[in-house]
Amino acid sequence: MTKLEFMLNGRAMALEVEPATLLVDLLRGPLALTGTHVGCDTAQCGACTVLLDGQAVKSCSLLALQVAGRAVTTIEGLAAADGSLHPVQEAFIACHGLQCGYCTPGMILAATCLLRENPRPAEAEIVHALEGNLCRCTGYVNIVASVQQAARTINGEAA
Ligand code: FES
Ligand code: FES
């Protein structure tokens, strides 16, 4: 076992992990953050997406030890401290950007990363940013609309 210290959803964590433990397995297992989903385990579907120092990463493709000293945000950590949802979460609800919800945490975190870097993305930029996140249900139209809606909210523009 190896000691691992990192920030998780704004809280300092210190625990012992097996060196071969994947980040997604640490999150979903010992840390019980099951909003991070597993769709493929081969870094293709994006269901396991989390933010690592603000960047969207696939947690099935990282060892837990690779986040030492860094900050991880999962979908459980995206809402504000008072429980109010993040604008991207609100927009996915308002624009019906989900059906079964399996891809949704990863989609929302990938979109959050995009909007932090590019608050006014063109439609093609949204599609490009989310191309590593697969959805079996929605056909993507409402997902793109959700991100556009979130962008308007973040930029203080009328819906
Ligand atoms: S479970 Fe990680 S990309 Fe599919
Ligand atoms: S909403 Fe079902 S996989 Fe995307």
Side-chain angles (χ1 to χ4, degrees), residues 117-135:
E117 295 178 349
N118 180 4
R120 287 186 170 82
E123 181 174 338
E125 291 173 315
I126 297 171
V127 171
H128 178 69
L130 298 181
E131 66 188 5
N133 292 73
L134 305 183
C135 177

Side-chain angles (χ1 to χ4, degrees), residues 97-104 107 134-140 143:
L98 66 149
Q99 289 184 27
C100 81
Y102 203 84
C103 70
T104 309
M107 286 285 184
L134 305 183
C135 177
R136 297 174 300 182
C137 306
T138 66
Y140 299 96
I143 290 174

Side-chain angles (χ1 to χ4, degrees), residues 17-96:
V17 300
E18 294 281 358
T21 303
L22 294 173
L23 178 59
V24 68
D25 293 329
L26 176 69
L27 294 171
R28 290 180 51 82
L31 299 177
L33 295 175
T34 54
T36 302
H37 292 160
V38 177
C40 68
D41 248 344
T42 53
Q44 294 182 49
C45 76
C48 65
T49 300
V50 300
L51 299 181
L52 179 60
D53 294 336
Q55 293 296 309
V57 297
K58 293 177 178 177
S59 61
C60 74
S61 67
L62 286 174
L63 295 171
L65 291 177
Q66 289 178 277
V67 306
R70 304 176 73 182
V72 174
T73 303
T74 69
I75 194 67
E76 291 88 348
L78 199 58
D82 67 0
S84 55
L85 295 179
H86 187 279
V88 178
Q89 293 174 302
E90 294 279 14
F92 268 70
I93 295 169
C95 299
H96 308 288

